[in-house]
Short mmCIF file of all heavy atoms in Angstrom, two decimals:
data_model
loop_
_atom_site.label_atom_id
_atom_site.label_comp_id
_atom_site.label_asym_id
_atom_site.label_seq_id
_atom_site.Cartn_x
_atom_site.Cartn_y
_atom_site.Cartn_z
N MET A 1 -5.63 -4.76 1.65
CA MET A 1 -5.19 -4.86 0.28
C MET A 1 -3.87 -5.62 0.26
O MET A 1 -2.98 -5.36 1.05
CB MET A 1 -5.00 -3.46 -0.30
CG MET A 1 -4.39 -3.47 -1.67
SD MET A 1 -4.29 -1.88 -2.50
CE MET A 1 -3.28 -0.93 -1.43
N GLU A 2 -3.77 -6.55 -0.66
CA GLU A 2 -2.54 -7.30 -0.83
C GLU A 2 -1.99 -7.05 -2.22
O GLU A 2 -2.71 -7.15 -3.21
CB GLU A 2 -2.79 -8.79 -0.65
CG GLU A 2 -3.11 -9.18 0.77
CD GLU A 2 -3.23 -10.68 0.93
OE1 GLU A 2 -2.46 -11.42 0.27
OE2 GLU A 2 -4.10 -11.10 1.70
N ILE A 3 -0.72 -6.70 -2.28
CA ILE A 3 -0.04 -6.50 -3.55
C ILE A 3 1.21 -7.37 -3.53
O ILE A 3 2.01 -7.27 -2.61
CB ILE A 3 0.34 -5.02 -3.76
CG1 ILE A 3 -0.91 -4.15 -3.74
CG2 ILE A 3 1.11 -4.84 -5.05
CD1 ILE A 3 -0.64 -2.67 -3.75
N HIS A 4 1.36 -8.22 -4.53
CA HIS A 4 2.49 -9.13 -4.57
C HIS A 4 3.32 -8.87 -5.82
O HIS A 4 2.78 -8.74 -6.91
CB HIS A 4 2.03 -10.59 -4.58
CG HIS A 4 1.21 -10.94 -3.39
ND1 HIS A 4 1.78 -11.25 -2.17
CD2 HIS A 4 -0.11 -11.00 -3.20
CE1 HIS A 4 0.84 -11.50 -1.30
NE2 HIS A 4 -0.33 -11.35 -1.90
N SER A 5 4.62 -8.78 -5.66
CA SER A 5 5.51 -8.58 -6.79
C SER A 5 6.90 -9.07 -6.42
O SER A 5 7.38 -8.81 -5.32
CB SER A 5 5.58 -7.10 -7.16
OG SER A 5 6.56 -6.89 -8.15
N ASP A 6 7.54 -9.75 -7.33
CA ASP A 6 8.92 -10.15 -7.13
C ASP A 6 9.88 -9.04 -7.58
O ASP A 6 11.05 -9.06 -7.25
CB ASP A 6 9.23 -11.42 -7.92
CG ASP A 6 8.48 -12.62 -7.37
OD1 ASP A 6 8.17 -12.63 -6.17
OD2 ASP A 6 8.21 -13.54 -8.16
N SER A 7 9.36 -8.10 -8.36
CA SER A 7 10.20 -7.05 -8.92
C SER A 7 10.25 -5.79 -8.07
O SER A 7 11.18 -5.00 -8.20
CB SER A 7 9.69 -6.68 -10.32
OG SER A 7 9.72 -7.79 -11.17
N TYR A 8 9.24 -5.57 -7.24
CA TYR A 8 9.16 -4.35 -6.45
C TYR A 8 8.81 -4.66 -5.01
O TYR A 8 8.21 -5.68 -4.71
CB TYR A 8 8.09 -3.41 -7.02
CG TYR A 8 8.43 -2.89 -8.38
CD1 TYR A 8 8.04 -3.57 -9.53
CD2 TYR A 8 9.15 -1.71 -8.54
CE1 TYR A 8 8.36 -3.10 -10.80
CE2 TYR A 8 9.47 -1.23 -9.79
CZ TYR A 8 9.07 -1.93 -10.92
OH TYR A 8 9.39 -1.46 -12.16
N LYS A 9 9.19 -3.73 -4.12
CA LYS A 9 8.77 -3.81 -2.72
C LYS A 9 8.36 -2.40 -2.29
O LYS A 9 8.76 -1.41 -2.91
CB LYS A 9 9.90 -4.34 -1.83
CG LYS A 9 11.13 -3.43 -1.78
CD LYS A 9 12.20 -4.02 -0.88
CE LYS A 9 13.42 -3.11 -0.87
NZ LYS A 9 14.46 -3.57 0.03
N VAL A 10 7.57 -2.31 -1.24
CA VAL A 10 7.16 -1.01 -0.74
C VAL A 10 8.42 -0.27 -0.29
O VAL A 10 9.26 -0.82 0.42
CB VAL A 10 6.16 -1.15 0.43
CG1 VAL A 10 5.85 0.19 1.04
CG2 VAL A 10 4.88 -1.83 -0.05
N ALA A 11 8.55 0.97 -0.74
CA ALA A 11 9.75 1.75 -0.42
C ALA A 11 9.76 2.14 1.05
O ALA A 11 8.75 2.54 1.60
CB ALA A 11 9.80 3.00 -1.29
N ALA A 12 10.90 1.97 1.67
CA ALA A 12 11.07 2.37 3.08
C ALA A 12 11.67 3.78 3.11
O ALA A 12 12.65 4.04 2.42
CB ALA A 12 11.99 1.39 3.78
N PHE A 13 11.07 4.66 3.90
CA PHE A 13 11.54 6.04 3.95
C PHE A 13 12.02 6.43 5.34
O PHE A 13 11.82 7.55 5.78
CB PHE A 13 10.44 6.99 3.50
CG PHE A 13 10.14 6.94 2.03
CD1 PHE A 13 8.88 6.61 1.58
CD2 PHE A 13 11.13 7.22 1.11
CE1 PHE A 13 8.61 6.57 0.22
CE2 PHE A 13 10.87 7.18 -0.26
CZ PHE A 13 9.60 6.86 -0.69
N GLU A 14 12.70 5.53 6.04
CA GLU A 14 13.25 5.88 7.34
C GLU A 14 14.25 7.02 7.14
O GLU A 14 15.06 7.00 6.23
CB GLU A 14 13.97 4.70 8.01
CG GLU A 14 13.05 3.59 8.44
CD GLU A 14 12.95 2.49 7.39
OE1 GLU A 14 13.75 2.45 6.46
OE2 GLU A 14 12.03 1.68 7.51
N ASP A 15 14.18 8.01 8.02
CA ASP A 15 15.10 9.15 8.00
C ASP A 15 15.03 9.93 6.69
O ASP A 15 16.02 10.57 6.30
CB ASP A 15 16.54 8.71 8.29
CG ASP A 15 16.67 8.03 9.64
OD1 ASP A 15 15.97 8.44 10.58
OD2 ASP A 15 17.46 7.09 9.74
N GLN A 16 13.91 9.87 5.99
CA GLN A 16 13.73 10.62 4.75
C GLN A 16 12.42 11.39 4.81
O GLN A 16 11.53 11.23 3.98
CB GLN A 16 13.76 9.68 3.54
CG GLN A 16 15.09 8.99 3.35
CD GLN A 16 15.10 8.14 2.11
OE1 GLN A 16 14.49 8.46 1.11
NE2 GLN A 16 15.82 7.03 2.17
N GLU A 17 12.30 12.24 5.81
CA GLU A 17 11.07 12.98 6.04
C GLU A 17 10.68 13.83 4.83
O GLU A 17 9.51 14.05 4.58
CB GLU A 17 11.18 13.84 7.29
CG GLU A 17 9.88 14.49 7.72
CD GLU A 17 8.75 13.50 8.02
OE1 GLU A 17 9.04 12.40 8.52
OE2 GLU A 17 7.59 13.84 7.74
N ASP A 18 11.68 14.30 4.07
CA ASP A 18 11.36 15.11 2.89
C ASP A 18 10.59 14.29 1.86
O ASP A 18 9.63 14.79 1.25
CB ASP A 18 12.62 15.71 2.27
CG ASP A 18 13.69 14.66 1.94
OD1 ASP A 18 13.67 13.57 2.52
OD2 ASP A 18 14.55 14.96 1.10
N ALA A 19 10.93 13.04 1.67
CA ALA A 19 10.21 12.18 0.73
C ALA A 19 8.79 11.93 1.23
O ALA A 19 7.83 11.97 0.44
CB ALA A 19 10.93 10.85 0.55
N VAL A 20 8.64 11.70 2.51
CA VAL A 20 7.31 11.47 3.09
C VAL A 20 6.45 12.73 2.94
O VAL A 20 5.27 12.64 2.58
CB VAL A 20 7.43 11.06 4.57
CG1 VAL A 20 6.06 10.96 5.22
CG2 VAL A 20 8.17 9.73 4.69
N GLU A 21 7.03 13.90 3.14
CA GLU A 21 6.28 15.15 3.01
C GLU A 21 5.84 15.37 1.57
O GLU A 21 4.72 15.84 1.32
CB GLU A 21 7.12 16.33 3.49
CG GLU A 21 6.37 17.65 3.48
CD GLU A 21 5.08 17.66 4.30
OE1 GLU A 21 4.99 16.93 5.32
OE2 GLU A 21 4.16 18.42 3.94
N ILE A 22 6.67 15.04 0.61
CA ILE A 22 6.29 15.17 -0.81
C ILE A 22 5.09 14.29 -1.10
O ILE A 22 4.15 14.70 -1.79
CB ILE A 22 7.48 14.83 -1.72
CG1 ILE A 22 8.53 15.94 -1.63
CG2 ILE A 22 7.03 14.61 -3.16
CD1 ILE A 22 9.87 15.57 -2.25
N ILE A 23 5.11 13.06 -0.57
CA ILE A 23 3.98 12.14 -0.79
C ILE A 23 2.73 12.69 -0.12
O ILE A 23 1.64 12.65 -0.71
CB ILE A 23 4.33 10.72 -0.29
CG1 ILE A 23 5.43 10.12 -1.18
CG2 ILE A 23 3.09 9.82 -0.26
CD1 ILE A 23 6.02 8.84 -0.65
N ARG A 24 2.84 13.22 1.08
CA ARG A 24 1.67 13.80 1.77
C ARG A 24 1.08 14.96 0.97
O ARG A 24 -0.14 15.09 0.85
CB ARG A 24 2.07 14.28 3.17
CG ARG A 24 2.29 13.16 4.14
CD ARG A 24 2.56 13.71 5.54
NE ARG A 24 2.87 12.61 6.44
CZ ARG A 24 3.88 12.60 7.28
NH1 ARG A 24 4.69 13.64 7.37
NH2 ARG A 24 4.09 11.56 8.06
N ARG A 25 1.94 15.81 0.43
CA ARG A 25 1.46 16.95 -0.37
C ARG A 25 0.77 16.46 -1.64
O ARG A 25 -0.25 17.01 -2.06
CB ARG A 25 2.60 17.89 -0.71
CG ARG A 25 3.09 18.67 0.48
CD ARG A 25 4.21 19.60 0.10
NE ARG A 25 4.78 20.23 1.28
CZ ARG A 25 5.76 21.09 1.23
NH1 ARG A 25 6.29 21.44 0.07
NH2 ARG A 25 6.22 21.63 2.34
N ALA A 26 1.34 15.44 -2.27
CA ALA A 26 0.73 14.88 -3.47
C ALA A 26 -0.64 14.28 -3.15
O ALA A 26 -1.61 14.46 -3.90
CB ALA A 26 1.64 13.83 -4.09
N GLU A 27 -0.74 13.58 -2.03
CA GLU A 27 -2.03 13.01 -1.61
C GLU A 27 -3.06 14.11 -1.42
O GLU A 27 -4.21 13.99 -1.86
CB GLU A 27 -1.87 12.22 -0.32
CG GLU A 27 -1.13 10.92 -0.48
CD GLU A 27 -0.85 10.21 0.83
OE1 GLU A 27 -0.82 10.87 1.90
OE2 GLU A 27 -0.65 8.98 0.78
N ALA A 28 -2.66 15.20 -0.77
CA ALA A 28 -3.58 16.31 -0.52
C ALA A 28 -4.01 16.97 -1.82
O ALA A 28 -5.20 17.30 -2.00
CB ALA A 28 -2.93 17.34 0.41
N ALA A 29 -3.08 17.15 -2.75
CA ALA A 29 -3.41 17.77 -4.03
C ALA A 29 -4.37 16.89 -4.84
O ALA A 29 -5.34 17.38 -5.42
CB ALA A 29 -2.13 18.05 -4.82
N ILE A 30 -4.11 15.60 -4.87
CA ILE A 30 -4.99 14.67 -5.59
C ILE A 30 -6.37 14.64 -4.94
O ILE A 30 -7.40 14.64 -5.63
CB ILE A 30 -4.37 13.27 -5.68
CG1 ILE A 30 -3.12 13.32 -6.55
CG2 ILE A 30 -5.38 12.25 -6.21
CD1 ILE A 30 -2.27 12.07 -6.49
N ALA A 31 -6.41 14.61 -3.62
CA ALA A 31 -7.70 14.61 -2.92
C ALA A 31 -8.50 15.86 -3.25
O ALA A 31 -9.72 15.79 -3.45
CB ALA A 31 -7.48 14.50 -1.41
N GLN A 32 -7.83 17.00 -3.30
CA GLN A 32 -8.52 18.25 -3.62
C GLN A 32 -9.12 18.20 -5.02
O GLN A 32 -10.25 18.61 -5.24
CB GLN A 32 -7.55 19.43 -3.49
CG GLN A 32 -8.22 20.77 -3.67
CD GLN A 32 -7.24 21.92 -3.46
OE1 GLN A 32 -6.03 21.73 -3.50
NE2 GLN A 32 -7.77 23.10 -3.25
N ILE A 33 -8.37 17.69 -5.98
CA ILE A 33 -8.86 17.55 -7.35
C ILE A 33 -10.02 16.57 -7.41
O ILE A 33 -10.94 16.72 -8.21
CB ILE A 33 -7.71 17.07 -8.27
CG1 ILE A 33 -6.66 18.18 -8.41
CG2 ILE A 33 -8.22 16.64 -9.64
CD1 ILE A 33 -5.37 17.71 -9.05
N ASN A 34 -9.99 15.58 -6.55
CA ASN A 34 -10.96 14.48 -6.55
C ASN A 34 -12.13 14.73 -5.60
O ASN A 34 -12.73 13.80 -5.10
CB ASN A 34 -10.22 13.18 -6.17
CG ASN A 34 -11.00 11.95 -6.53
OD1 ASN A 34 -11.80 11.95 -7.45
ND2 ASN A 34 -10.78 10.88 -5.78
N GLY A 35 -12.43 15.98 -5.31
CA GLY A 35 -13.57 16.29 -4.45
C GLY A 35 -13.30 16.01 -2.99
O GLY A 35 -14.21 15.69 -2.24
N ASN A 36 -12.05 16.15 -2.55
CA ASN A 36 -11.64 15.94 -1.17
C ASN A 36 -11.87 14.52 -0.66
O ASN A 36 -12.03 14.30 0.54
CB ASN A 36 -12.26 16.98 -0.23
CG ASN A 36 -11.64 18.34 -0.45
OD1 ASN A 36 -10.44 18.47 -0.64
ND2 ASN A 36 -12.46 19.37 -0.45
N LYS A 37 -11.88 13.57 -1.56
CA LYS A 37 -11.93 12.17 -1.16
C LYS A 37 -10.51 11.76 -0.77
O LYS A 37 -9.55 12.05 -1.48
CB LYS A 37 -12.43 11.29 -2.30
CG LYS A 37 -13.86 11.58 -2.68
CD LYS A 37 -14.29 10.75 -3.85
CE LYS A 37 -15.71 11.12 -4.26
NZ LYS A 37 -16.10 10.48 -5.51
N PRO A 38 -10.34 11.09 0.37
CA PRO A 38 -8.99 10.71 0.83
C PRO A 38 -8.28 9.82 -0.19
O PRO A 38 -8.89 8.96 -0.83
CB PRO A 38 -9.25 9.94 2.12
CG PRO A 38 -10.61 10.36 2.57
CD PRO A 38 -11.37 10.68 1.32
N VAL A 39 -6.99 10.07 -0.34
CA VAL A 39 -6.15 9.32 -1.27
C VAL A 39 -4.91 8.86 -0.52
O VAL A 39 -4.34 9.61 0.26
CB VAL A 39 -5.74 10.21 -2.46
CG1 VAL A 39 -4.75 9.50 -3.36
CG2 VAL A 39 -6.95 10.66 -3.24
N THR A 40 -4.49 7.63 -0.77
CA THR A 40 -3.24 7.12 -0.20
C THR A 40 -2.34 6.68 -1.35
O THR A 40 -2.73 5.84 -2.16
CB THR A 40 -3.50 5.94 0.74
OG1 THR A 40 -4.35 6.37 1.80
CG2 THR A 40 -2.19 5.40 1.33
N LEU A 41 -1.15 7.25 -1.42
CA LEU A 41 -0.18 6.85 -2.42
C LEU A 41 0.79 5.85 -1.80
O LEU A 41 1.16 5.99 -0.64
CB LEU A 41 0.60 8.06 -2.93
CG LEU A 41 -0.24 9.14 -3.62
CD1 LEU A 41 0.65 10.31 -4.04
CD2 LEU A 41 -0.97 8.58 -4.82
N ILE A 42 1.20 4.88 -2.58
CA ILE A 42 2.15 3.87 -2.13
C ILE A 42 3.38 3.95 -3.01
O ILE A 42 3.27 3.87 -4.23
CB ILE A 42 1.54 2.45 -2.19
CG1 ILE A 42 0.26 2.39 -1.36
CG2 ILE A 42 2.55 1.40 -1.73
CD1 ILE A 42 -0.54 1.11 -1.54
N ALA A 43 4.54 4.11 -2.41
CA ALA A 43 5.79 4.19 -3.16
C ALA A 43 6.45 2.82 -3.20
O ALA A 43 6.56 2.15 -2.18
CB ALA A 43 6.71 5.22 -2.52
N TYR A 44 6.90 2.44 -4.38
CA TYR A 44 7.58 1.17 -4.57
C TYR A 44 9.00 1.40 -5.06
O TYR A 44 9.29 2.40 -5.70
CB TYR A 44 6.85 0.30 -5.61
CG TYR A 44 5.57 -0.26 -5.11
CD1 TYR A 44 4.37 0.41 -5.33
CD2 TYR A 44 5.53 -1.45 -4.40
CE1 TYR A 44 3.17 -0.11 -4.87
CE2 TYR A 44 4.33 -1.97 -3.93
CZ TYR A 44 3.17 -1.29 -4.17
OH TYR A 44 1.99 -1.81 -3.71
N GLU A 45 9.86 0.47 -4.77
CA GLU A 45 11.22 0.50 -5.30
C GLU A 45 11.53 -0.88 -5.85
O GLU A 45 10.97 -1.88 -5.41
CB GLU A 45 12.23 0.90 -4.23
CG GLU A 45 12.28 -0.05 -3.04
CD GLU A 45 13.19 0.44 -1.95
OE1 GLU A 45 12.98 1.55 -1.43
OE2 GLU A 45 14.12 -0.31 -1.60
N ARG A 46 12.40 -0.92 -6.84
CA ARG A 46 12.79 -2.22 -7.42
C ARG A 46 13.53 -3.03 -6.38
O ARG A 46 14.30 -2.51 -5.59
CB ARG A 46 13.69 -2.03 -8.63
CG ARG A 46 12.98 -1.57 -9.86
CD ARG A 46 13.96 -1.61 -11.02
NE ARG A 46 13.31 -1.18 -12.24
CZ ARG A 46 12.71 -2.01 -13.09
NH1 ARG A 46 12.69 -3.30 -12.83
NH2 ARG A 46 12.15 -1.55 -14.19
N THR A 47 13.32 -4.33 -6.42
CA THR A 47 14.09 -5.21 -5.52
C THR A 47 15.47 -5.39 -6.14
O THR A 47 15.68 -5.19 -7.33
CB THR A 47 13.40 -6.58 -5.37
OG1 THR A 47 13.27 -7.17 -6.66
CG2 THR A 47 12.05 -6.45 -4.71
N GLU A 48 16.43 -5.79 -5.33
CA GLU A 48 17.81 -5.96 -5.79
C GLU A 48 17.89 -6.96 -6.95
O GLU A 48 18.62 -6.75 -7.90
CB GLU A 48 18.69 -6.43 -4.64
CG GLU A 48 18.94 -5.36 -3.60
CD GLU A 48 19.75 -4.19 -4.13
OE1 GLU A 48 20.66 -4.41 -4.95
OE2 GLU A 48 19.45 -3.06 -3.75
N ALA A 49 17.12 -8.01 -6.88
CA ALA A 49 17.19 -9.05 -7.91
C ALA A 49 16.72 -8.54 -9.26
O ALA A 49 17.14 -9.04 -10.29
CB ALA A 49 16.36 -10.26 -7.49
N GLN A 50 15.85 -7.55 -9.26
CA GLN A 50 15.28 -7.06 -10.50
C GLN A 50 15.78 -5.69 -10.92
O GLN A 50 15.27 -5.09 -11.84
CB GLN A 50 13.75 -7.02 -10.38
CG GLN A 50 13.11 -8.38 -10.15
CD GLN A 50 13.33 -9.30 -11.33
OE1 GLN A 50 13.29 -8.90 -12.47
NE2 GLN A 50 13.61 -10.57 -11.04
N ALA A 51 16.78 -5.17 -10.24
CA ALA A 51 17.31 -3.85 -10.58
C ALA A 51 17.93 -3.87 -11.97
O ALA A 51 18.57 -4.85 -12.34
CB ALA A 51 18.34 -3.42 -9.55
N PRO A 52 17.71 -2.80 -12.74
CA PRO A 52 18.29 -2.78 -14.08
C PRO A 52 19.82 -2.73 -14.03
O PRO A 52 20.40 -2.17 -13.12
CB PRO A 52 17.72 -1.49 -14.69
CG PRO A 52 17.30 -0.66 -13.53
CD PRO A 52 16.99 -1.61 -12.41
N GLU A 53 20.43 -3.35 -15.02
CA GLU A 53 21.90 -3.36 -15.05
C GLU A 53 22.42 -2.01 -15.48
O GLU A 53 21.81 -1.32 -16.28
CB GLU A 53 22.38 -4.45 -16.01
CG GLU A 53 22.06 -5.83 -15.51
CD GLU A 53 22.70 -6.91 -16.37
OE1 GLU A 53 23.74 -6.63 -16.98
OE2 GLU A 53 22.14 -8.01 -16.40
N LYS A 54 23.58 -1.64 -14.94
CA LYS A 54 24.18 -0.34 -15.27
C LYS A 54 25.21 -0.49 -16.35
O LYS A 54 25.84 -1.44 -16.55
CB LYS A 54 24.81 0.27 -14.03
CG LYS A 54 23.78 0.59 -12.99
CD LYS A 54 24.43 1.18 -11.78
CE LYS A 54 23.38 1.44 -10.71
NZ LYS A 54 23.92 2.01 -9.52
#
């Protein structure tokens, strides 16, 4: 699968095991609702160039 965006990039979760665990739990919950079909969630974050102004 290819996803292209100038506004977002796949979120990196190095040293953030809690975030990864939340995603794993969400995948398991969605799979259970969906008849135990495997689900993969992809987290995105805004790129620096497209971050909203503060």
Side-chain angles (χ1 to χ4, degrees):
M1 174 174 61
E2 290 185 36
I3 300 173
H4 301 279
S5 173
D6 293 332
S7 301
Y8 294 90
K9 64 180 179 177
V10 174
F13 288 121
E14 291 95 14
D15 301 325
Q16 296 183 34
E17 188 58 35
D18 54 338
V20 174
E21 184 57 30
I22 290 168
I23 293 170
R24 286 185 184 133
R25 288 181 187 181
E27 288 174 337
I30 293 169
Q32 185 177 18
I33 291 168
N34 197 28
N36 289 320
K37 295 177 184 171
V39 174
T40 300
L41 299 178
I42 303 170
Y44 288 93
E45 61 186 58
R46 285 188 180 268
T47 58
E48 289 294 324
Q50 297 296 321
E53 293 188 27
K54 296 180 182 180

